[in-house]
Amino acid sequence: MTTANPTTVRVDSTRSFVKLAYLAPVIGFIVIAAFPYAAGPHYTILMFSAMGFAIALLGLNLLLGYTGLLSLGHAMFLAIGAYTAAYLTSAKIMTLELILLTSVAVAIVVALPIGLLCIRYVKIYFSMLTLAFSMLLYSFLFKFYLITGGDEGIRIKLPSPLLFDMSNLGTLAALTGPMYYYVFGMLIVLTFLMWRITASTFGLGLRAIRENEQKAQYLGVNVQRYRLIGFVIAAVYGALGGVIVGIPVGLADPSLAYWVQSGNLIFMLLLGGYTSFFGPILGSIVFIFFQDQLMSYTEYWRLTFGVLLAVIVIFFPNGLMGIIDPRRWWST
Amino acid sequence: MLEVAALAVEIQNSEILRNVGFKVAAGELVCLVGRNGAGKTTTLRTVMGYITPRSGTIRLADMDLIGKSTLERARLGIGYSPEASEVFGELTVAENIALPTWTRQTEKSPAERIDLAYRFFPNLRRYEARPGTHLSGGERKMLSIARTLALDADLLLLDEPFEGLSPSIIPGIRNSIHEIVRLGLTVLIAESELQHVPEYADRIYVMERGEIVFGGSLDEARRDTTVRQIIGETL
């Protein structure tokens, strides 16, 4: 009888866990793809929204997880995306691709000057500046009733992608059918794109800046430019997410830019794990579904969320990905 | 290559450097020697652009560096290896070395520059996938200098490259620096112990209380009474 060498066993099991870690996102995407068939319309619509938040969070995590900048005002870009969709669909421009491209353009135009100012600061100053700009937008959306619809917001009519003919479909059928898969495709493409960005030399530069900007500078990294590009990319992802989040709700209202919404985005990141690439996607899905379930059980759901946030920060600083990512089991 | 003249630096109203001047010609190895607090690190940090001098000039190949940022100086070809090594702890050895190859474009390809870095510090090859936090002090020093080679710097500023290292590691790093000089690169070393100054140094400058008090060869320094008084115990 032979006895297994403990080192060999450990290496083999580590390898299988690593394989599992690579396989898990694939399984996750298959589950998302199967959702309209396996879950009812209510949960499919929830997943639709979660995918929108996931896109926005992928961008936000480029700032927090990779560059070390905590934006407390990222919800402003969600609002920019949703309001762009609202204005364009109100003007009978119903092509989703055009709406998405316009939201990207608006996000860039807004993010460039804000970014130019904010990225000169770090830590709490960056956070407070982004929060200030977000609240400025919120106040504008809230007060300028004639332009923005005030607290009632502006309706977002269901746009139609060029790829699918949805003329014969009702709203629910479209949202749980072709539109769902369109957004799913967007999520995959934007996830892949973000993975390429973070794995590129640009991503390496951002990680260097996160660790120490002085060190990065004397190795030739243009800290300000990198931060600005990171900020703009995050804004673009935020706006694209905002378009998607706004579609199932059918409304763009000022609460999208409110600080609570930015707080929710940070919560989702912490929940999923901002130290992991897939953390934002997991965090958005768990948050949306957990919130839905909790709201149906208790009116004190915010209290429960507060406790959950405290537990995550204290016991699971790497979020849910830190618990389920097998590589982290070994490191702890 | 590098010419510093009448450099004066004040930090929080304290005069740290006074009338500091020295030259480093292309292909030379020059050492700034002095006790802790003499102003060596301040001099290197000022050359690197972290500190704005009150007065004086810093010229690199006839180009005035005053007013240029650290980033600009790095891109002009000044490689800096600080006293604390300052490798990126969360990046792997390979990533630490790869980083400067794309921040500064030179005639050499990134692959050539990475090969050059590993050629002088072959031990780092074994730790390519290891994060910076998992390296020993000596490995960090090697990595820190290797990054300046990957930057394809023309002038290397090495702050205390032998500080705190095991005596068994020092000869290896010293040999690597010798090879770097033989390659034709220009090196300025700040060193607190005269015994660590490589014998092949072209010239040394001794600093005391923010001033250059001696400039000459290593042998001349050993014979100089002022130098003996300042750092005599390490002669």
Side-chain angles (χ1 to χ4, degrees), chain B residues 67-83:
Chain B
K68 294 200 184 300
S69 67
T70 300
L71 172 70
E72 287 172 305
R73 295 179 198 210
R75 290 191 169 176
L76 282 170
I78 306 181
Y80 180 44
S81 169
E83 187 177 357

PDB file of all heavy atoms in Angstrom, chain B residues 67-83:
ATOM      1  N   GLY B  67      12.733  72.265 -13.160  1.00  0.00           N
ATOM      2  CA  GLY B  67      11.385  72.508 -13.687  1.00  0.00           C
ATOM      3  C   GLY B  67      10.778  71.275 -14.337  1.00  0.00           C
ATOM      4  O   GLY B  67       9.588  71.251 -14.619  1.00  0.00           O
ATOM      5  N   LYS B  68      11.602  70.262 -14.561  1.00  0.00           N
ATOM      6  CA  LYS B  68      11.063  69.041 -15.159  1.00  0.00           C
ATOM      7  C   LYS B  68      10.596  68.100 -14.055  1.00  0.00           C
ATOM      8  O   LYS B  68      11.225  67.996 -12.999  1.00  0.00           O
ATOM      9  CB  LYS B  68      12.111  68.343 -16.026  1.00  0.00           C
ATOM     10  CG  LYS B  68      12.501  69.151 -17.258  1.00  0.00           C
ATOM     11  CD  LYS B  68      13.120  68.281 -18.311  1.00  0.00           C
ATOM     12  CE  LYS B  68      13.604  69.103 -19.499  1.00  0.00           C
ATOM     13  NZ  LYS B  68      12.562  69.850 -20.176  1.00  0.00           N
ATOM     14  N   SER B  69       9.492  67.404 -14.316  1.00  0.00           N
ATOM     15  CA  SER B  69       8.926  66.504 -13.309  1.00  0.00           C
ATOM     16  C   SER B  69       9.723  65.208 -13.238  1.00  0.00           C
ATOM     17  O   SER B  69      10.548  64.916 -14.117  1.00  0.00           O
ATOM     18  CB  SER B  69       7.474  66.186 -13.665  1.00  0.00           C
ATOM     19  OG  SER B  69       7.452  65.416 -14.855  1.00  0.00           O
ATOM     20  N   THR B  70       9.453  64.445 -12.202  1.00  0.00           N
ATOM     21  CA  THR B  70      10.096  63.133 -12.044  1.00  0.00           C
ATOM     22  C   THR B  70       9.812  62.262 -13.267  1.00  0.00           C
ATOM     23  O   THR B  70      10.701  61.573 -13.778  1.00  0.00           O
ATOM     24  CB  THR B  70       9.541  62.438 -10.773  1.00  0.00           C
ATOM     25  OG1 THR B  70       9.836  63.266  -9.653  1.00  0.00           O
ATOM     26  CG2 THR B  70      10.155  61.078 -10.567  1.00  0.00           C
ATOM     27  N   LEU B  71       8.572  62.310 -13.709  1.00  0.00           N
ATOM     28  CA  LEU B  71       8.172  61.514 -14.875  1.00  0.00           C
ATOM     29  C   LEU B  71       9.011  61.893 -16.095  1.00  0.00           C
ATOM     30  O   LEU B  71       9.535  61.026 -16.802  1.00  0.00           O
ATOM     31  CB  LEU B  71       6.686  61.752 -15.168  1.00  0.00           C
ATOM     32  CG  LEU B  71       6.136  61.152 -16.452  1.00  0.00           C
ATOM     33  CD1 LEU B  71       6.080  59.636 -16.333  1.00  0.00           C
ATOM     34  CD2 LEU B  71       4.757  61.695 -16.759  1.00  0.00           C
ATOM     35  N   GLU B  72       9.169  63.205 -16.312  1.00  0.00           N
ATOM     36  CA  GLU B  72       9.949  63.663 -17.473  1.00  0.00           C
ATOM     37  C   GLU B  72      11.405  63.222 -17.359  1.00  0.00           C
ATOM     38  O   GLU B  72      12.018  62.811 -18.340  1.00  0.00           O
ATOM     39  CB  GLU B  72       9.865  65.193 -17.592  1.00  0.00           C
ATOM     40  CG  GLU B  72       8.510  65.686 -18.070  1.00  0.00           C
ATOM     41  CD  GLU B  72       8.386  67.197 -18.003  1.00  0.00           C
ATOM     42  OE1 GLU B  72       8.611  67.763 -16.901  1.00  0.00           O
ATOM     43  OE2 GLU B  72       8.067  67.811 -19.016  1.00  0.00           O
ATOM     44  N   ARG B  73      11.939  63.308 -16.145  1.00  0.00           N
ATOM     45  CA  ARG B  73      13.346  62.923 -15.947  1.00  0.00           C
ATOM     46  C   ARG B  73      13.524  61.429 -16.194  1.00  0.00           C
ATOM     47  O   ARG B  73      14.522  61.004 -16.761  1.00  0.00           O
ATOM     48  CB  ARG B  73      13.799  63.313 -14.536  1.00  0.00           C
ATOM     49  CG  ARG B  73      13.800  64.825 -14.360  1.00  0.00           C
ATOM     50  CD  ARG B  73      14.221  65.247 -12.966  1.00  0.00           C
ATOM     51  NE  ARG B  73      13.794  66.633 -12.730  1.00  0.00           N
ATOM     52  CZ  ARG B  73      14.400  67.497 -11.959  1.00  0.00           C
ATOM     53  NH1 ARG B  73      15.505  67.149 -11.324  1.00  0.00           N
ATOM     54  NH2 ARG B  73      13.935  68.725 -11.790  1.00  0.00           N
ATOM     55  N   ALA B  74      12.535  60.639 -15.740  1.00  0.00           N
ATOM     56  CA  ALA B  74      12.597  59.184 -15.982  1.00  0.00           C
ATOM     57  C   ALA B  74      12.584  58.919 -17.479  1.00  0.00           C
ATOM     58  O   ALA B  74      13.325  58.076 -17.986  1.00  0.00           O
ATOM     59  CB  ALA B  74      11.433  58.491 -15.299  1.00  0.00           C
ATOM     60  N   ARG B  75      11.750  59.670 -18.189  1.00  0.00           N
ATOM     61  CA  ARG B  75      11.636  59.444 -19.631  1.00  0.00           C
ATOM     62  C   ARG B  75      12.833  59.973 -20.406  1.00  0.00           C
ATOM     63  O   ARG B  75      13.041  59.613 -21.561  1.00  0.00           O
ATOM     64  CB  ARG B  75      10.335  60.055 -20.144  1.00  0.00           C
ATOM     65  CG  ARG B  75       9.154  59.245 -19.624  1.00  0.00           C
ATOM     66  CD  ARG B  75       7.871  59.600 -20.274  1.00  0.00           C
ATOM     67  NE  ARG B  75       6.837  58.624 -19.913  1.00  0.00           N
ATOM     68  CZ  ARG B  75       5.591  58.718 -20.282  1.00  0.00           C
ATOM     69  NH1 ARG B  75       5.199  59.717 -21.040  1.00  0.00           N
ATOM     70  NH2 ARG B  75       4.710  57.792 -19.919  1.00  0.00           N
ATOM     71  N   LEU B  76      13.591  60.867 -19.742  1.00  0.00           N
ATOM     72  CA  LEU B  76      14.833  61.346 -20.369  1.00  0.00           C
ATOM     73  C   LEU B  76      15.966  60.329 -20.200  1.00  0.00           C
ATOM     74  O   LEU B  76      17.025  60.475 -20.792  1.00  0.00           O
ATOM     75  CB  LEU B  76      15.258  62.685 -19.757  1.00  0.00           C
ATOM     76  CG  LEU B  76      14.496  63.910 -20.252  1.00  0.00           C
ATOM     77  CD1 LEU B  76      14.839  65.129 -19.388  1.00  0.00           C
ATOM     78  CD2 LEU B  76      14.817  64.193 -21.711  1.00  0.00           C
ATOM     79  N   GLY B  77      15.714  59.332 -19.344  1.00  0.00           N
ATOM     80  CA  GLY B  77      16.708  58.260 -19.210  1.00  0.00           C
ATOM     81  C   GLY B  77      17.449  58.240 -17.898  1.00  0.00           C
ATOM     82  O   GLY B  77      18.574  57.762 -17.833  1.00  0.00           O
ATOM     83  N   ILE B  78      16.811  58.749 -16.835  1.00  0.00           N
ATOM     84  CA  ILE B  78      17.425  58.636 -15.513  1.00  0.00           C
ATOM     85  C   ILE B  78      16.708  57.511 -14.768  1.00  0.00           C
ATOM     86  O   ILE B  78      15.501  57.578 -14.525  1.00  0.00           O
ATOM     87  CB  ILE B  78      17.325  59.945 -14.701  1.00  0.00           C
ATOM     88  CG1 ILE B  78      17.901  61.126 -15.496  1.00  0.00           C
ATOM     89  CG2 ILE B  78      18.049  59.799 -13.370  1.00  0.00           C
ATOM     90  CD1 ILE B  78      17.851  62.456 -14.752  1.00  0.00           C
ATOM     91  N   GLY B  79      17.455  56.482 -14.426  1.00  0.00           N
ATOM     92  CA  GLY B  79      16.886  55.376 -13.660  1.00  0.00           C
ATOM     93  C   GLY B  79      17.220  55.544 -12.200  1.00  0.00           C
ATOM     94  O   GLY B  79      18.345  55.923 -11.855  1.00  0.00           O
ATOM     95  N   TYR B  80      16.248  55.307 -11.340  1.00  0.00           N
ATOM     96  CA  TYR B  80      16.437  55.557  -9.912  1.00  0.00           C
ATOM     97  C   TYR B  80      16.157  54.284  -9.111  1.00  0.00           C
ATOM     98  O   TYR B  80      15.095  53.679  -9.260  1.00  0.00           O
ATOM     99  CB  TYR B  80      15.489  56.687  -9.487  1.00  0.00           C
ATOM    100  CG  TYR B  80      15.552  57.090  -8.037  1.00  0.00           C
ATOM    101  CD1 TYR B  80      16.764  57.253  -7.385  1.00  0.00           C
ATOM    102  CD2 TYR B  80      14.384  57.344  -7.318  1.00  0.00           C
ATOM    103  CE1 TYR B  80      16.806  57.643  -6.047  1.00  0.00           C
ATOM    104  CE2 TYR B  80      14.414  57.744  -5.995  1.00  0.00           C
ATOM    105  CZ  TYR B  80      15.628  57.886  -5.364  1.00  0.00           C
ATOM    106  OH  TYR B  80      15.675  58.280  -4.048  1.00  0.00           O
ATOM    107  N   SER B  81      17.112  53.916  -8.291  1.00  0.00           N
ATOM    108  CA  SER B  81      16.918  52.791  -7.377  1.00  0.00           C
ATOM    109  C   SER B  81      17.065  53.337  -5.965  1.00  0.00           C
ATOM    110  O   SER B  81      18.174  53.579  -5.497  1.00  0.00           O
ATOM    111  CB  SER B  81      17.976  51.713  -7.653  1.00  0.00           C
ATOM    112  OG  SER B  81      17.951  50.747  -6.625  1.00  0.00           O
ATOM    113  N   PRO B  82      15.937  53.579  -5.274  1.00  0.00           N
ATOM    114  CA  PRO B  82      16.010  54.240  -3.977  1.00  0.00           C
ATOM    115  C   PRO B  82      16.583  53.340  -2.885  1.00  0.00           C
ATOM    116  O   PRO B  82      16.701  52.128  -3.057  1.00  0.00           O
ATOM    117  CB  PRO B  82      14.554  54.594  -3.669  1.00  0.00           C
ATOM    118  CG  PRO B  82      13.741  54.025  -4.745  1.00  0.00           C
ATOM    119  CD  PRO B  82      14.587  53.243  -5.665  1.00  0.00           C
ATOM    120  N   GLU B  83      16.872  53.967  -1.770  1.00  0.00           N
ATOM    121  CA  GLU B  83      17.485  53.257  -0.647  1.00  0.00           C
ATOM    122  C   GLU B  83      16.615  52.089  -0.185  1.00  0.00           C
ATOM    123  O   GLU B  83      17.106  51.007   0.098  1.00  0.00           O
ATOM    124  CB  GLU B  83      17.684  54.255   0.510  1.00  0.00           C
ATOM    125  CG  GLU B  83      18.466  53.695   1.662  1.00  0.00           C
ATOM    126  CD  GLU B  83      18.702  54.750   2.737  1.00  0.00           C
ATOM    127  OE1 GLU B  83      18.296  55.906   2.537  1.00  0.00           O
ATOM    128  OE2 GLU B  83      19.299  54.407   3.762  1.00  0.00           O
TER     129      GLU B  83
END
